[in-house]
Amino acid sequence: MASPRLEPALARQLFSEGAAVVMLGVPEGTEFGIDSSAWTVGPKFRGVKMIPPGVHFLHCSAGRAGGRETGPRTGFFLSLQRRDLRVLRWDARSEAVELGPAGTEEAAAFRENLRELDPFLGPYPYETLKKWVSLTSFISEAAMKKLQPESGQICAFSEVLPVAAGRLSRDRAEQRLPPVDAECRSYAEGLARLPQMKPRAGTEIRFTELPKQTYPEGATPEEITRHSMDLSYALEKVISQRYASQPRDLLAELQFAFICFLIGNVYDAFEHWKRLLNILCRSEDAIRKYQDLYINLISVLYHQLSEIPADFFVDIVSHDNFLTSTLQVFFSCTCSAAVDGTLRKKAEKFKAHLTKKFKWDFEAEPDDCAPVVVELPEGVQVD
């Protein structure tokens, strides 16, 4: 865990005032990281010192000494205060860090003898702090607790269980499924035979449920078309679930999803990030209503997109870029005279920045200007 050398006086102050996380029993060869930095653990590793106060993401991938391969990444968020100290232990059976209740007496004993433990603690990588703060600027302790799984663990591969029992022949018969050893006659039939799975209770990241229907019940065909092009109704439903008192806090969820994907390797978090961003960028009426939210959204995206290659969002089948098409609609909304001047100017600068850095073209006609095919609810007819 080599970091740039600090001035001795500054290092002593950070050691005294910063937080520390003591990690006991982590095997040599394990990949351990905090925030956006990671290292391979050596035989003397016992944790991290000099951690600045705030929300942090600790993550591990099980490995072995001398080996190059590591297991799936698991991680967890911690909110640390000044001079805070947490004691955590490695669980060899689950190959992850235990997140049981903290023992205050044990933590106090380690804090009292922290000087003796100093040679075994790696310093927090302050050279990456600015980037971490920019990626988590809206994630408060309250937001962290609201979004993280009940178990506290964020896993790259979700732990899943079958929705219904299917190991015994009678179970399969009750579900009208063929016997396990029956010949499979097609690929579609093979997929249909696979058991339905669901995440183990307490392991899901508690994201806000995004609406599948973007228009109100009883909407006319004209209203369905309008709400399918302008997703402000869907965004209002999202905001009303958790963020009615402060809509800007929705950005904490956008950042949380991005961190879980970028560092935690959780693909479902990336899918949630894309869907939430799509709703935000395609809500024309909301852009005029929540101008503070959107001014800050641009700042959030500026830092997030700095972490990802330009071609990352290109669909390998269609070659379409999800992000350029989504932001193209957003920029077409922000150029309206009804939008606040501050937001309009910031959007113009952001557009110019993306065009220069990624060579993305936002001048072509947005897809939203093309005819939209909308599926009407059953029973609804157009005159």
Side-chain angles (χ1 to χ4, degrees):
M1 296 180 66
S3 296
R5 292 186 64 84
L6 300 172
E7 292 293 332
L10 177 59
R12 285 193 296 270
Q13 181 182 357
L14 293 174
F15 180 82
S16 175
E17 300 297 320
V21 175
V22 176
M23 307 277 290
L24 302 177
V26 181
E28 184 179 355
T30 299
E31 182 185 86
F32 168 81
I34 181 169
D35 301 340
S36 54
S37 298
W39 311 269
T40 300
V41 167
K44 296 182 178 180
F45 175 78
R46 296 294 183 274
V48 186
K49 60 186 176 182
M50 300 160 58
I51 306 173
V55 172
H56 296 278
F57 185 64
L58 281 74
H59 42 97
C60 297
S61 299
R64 58 183 181 181
R68 294 185 178 182
E69 295 184 358
T70 57
R73 180 167 288 182
T74 61
F76 51 93
F77 283 88
L78 283 180
S79 179
L80 299 172
Q81 310 299 322
R82 171 177 166 270
R83 294 180 56 80
D84 205 352
L85 190 142
R86 304 290 178 89
V87 181
L88 302 171
R89 285 178 169 78
W90 181 263
D91 181 9
R93 188 171 63 87
S94 64
E95 294 190 325
V97 176
E98 290 182 348
L99 295 179
T104 53
E105 292 183 4
E106 183 181 40
F110 273 105
R111 166 57 71 180
E112 190 173 336
N113 298 294
L114 196 58
R115 291 282 179 192
E116 298 175 12
L117 201 59
D118 181 32
F120 305 98
L121 300 176
Y124 180 86
Y126 274 85
E127 67 276 13
T128 64
L129 178 60
K130 184 177 180 180
K131 179 171 74 172
W132 174 251
V133 170
S134 69
L135 291 174
T136 59
S137 54
F138 288 94
I139 304 178
S140 62
E141 181 178 2
M144 176 198 81
K145 290 180 177 179
K146 187 186 300 182
L147 291 164
Q148 68 182 358
E150 293 176 5
S151 66
Q153 293 278 11
I154 293 172
C155 304
F157 293 100
S158 300
E159 187 176 356
V160 294
L161 299 171
V163 172
R167 294 180 61 189
L168 303 179
S169 297
R170 66 170 180 270
D171 296 327
R172 299 185 65 81
E174 289 173 0
Q175 298 171 51
R176 298 182 179 178
L177 295 174
V180 176
D181 57 354
E183 182 181 354
C184 185
R185 291 168 294 184
S186 69
Y187 176 73
E189 182 183 335
L191 289 178
R193 288 191 190 184
L194 294 175
Q196 288 186 309
M197 309 298 286
K198 63 180 180 181
R200 180 184 287 277
T203 64
E204 288 183 283
I205 301 174
R206 292 176 289 179
F207 291 129
T208 304
E209 185 176 353
L210 303 182
K212 295 181 175 65
Q213 180 174 301
T214 62
Y215 51 85
E217 293 291 341
T220 64
E222 181 185 358
E223 290 170 335
I224 292 173
T225 300
R226 176 163 54 85
H227 289 304
S228 297
M229 296 178 66
D230 180 351
L231 302 183
S232 296
Y233 173 79
L235 179 59
E236 292 287 3
K237 289 189 70 174
V238 172
I239 289 174
S240 66
Q241 289 183 57
R242 282 181 170 176
Y243 306 107
S245 61
Q246 180 50 273
R248 192 177 67 173
D249 289 348
L250 181 60
L251 298 177
E253 184 163 334
L254 193 71
Q255 289 184 326
F256 193 94
F258 189 80
I259 291 297
C260 288
F261 166 68
L262 180 71
I263 303 176
N265 298 340
V266 181
Y267 181 75
D268 286 347
F270 177 56
E271 287 298 309
H272 184 80
W273 180 85
K274 286 202 302 182
R275 290 184 62 207
L276 182 55
L277 183 61
N278 183 63
I279 292 175
L280 281 164
C281 289
R282 296 177 185 270
S283 298
E284 185 173 0
D285 287 345
I287 289 173
R288 294 193 290 267
K289 180 179 178 181
Y290 300 112
Q291 305 213 4
D292 180 58
L293 165 66
Y294 282 93
I295 287 173
N296 285 284
L297 171 64
I298 292 173
S299 298
V300 168
L301 288 176
Y302 173 83
H303 293 294
Q304 290 182 343
L305 299 188
S306 299
E307 302 302 313
I308 292 181
D311 61 351
F312 182 82
F313 298 97
V314 177
D315 187 284
I316 59 174
V317 177
S318 66
H319 301 293
D320 292 332
N321 188 319
F322 153 79
L323 202 55
T324 55
S325 60
T326 301
L327 289 176
Q328 188 175 37
V329 176
F330 175 64
F331 291 138
S332 70
C333 294
T334 56
C335 67
S336 167
V339 172
D340 175 75
T342 303
L343 172 57
R344 190 165 61 248
K345 289 178 182 177
K346 189 164 187 176
E348 289 172 357
K349 289 182 179 179
F350 184 46
K351 178 181 175 182
H353 164 75
L354 294 177
T355 302
K356 181 179 179 181
K357 181 173 182 178
F358 297 122
K359 304 297 187 291
W360 288 343
D361 179 18
F362 297 109
E363 299 306 321
E365 186 179 76
D367 291 340
D368 280 33
C369 293
V372 177
V373 178
V374 178
E375 291 188 10
L376 299 179
E378 188 177 347
V380 175
Q381 295 182 347
V382 180
D383 296 330

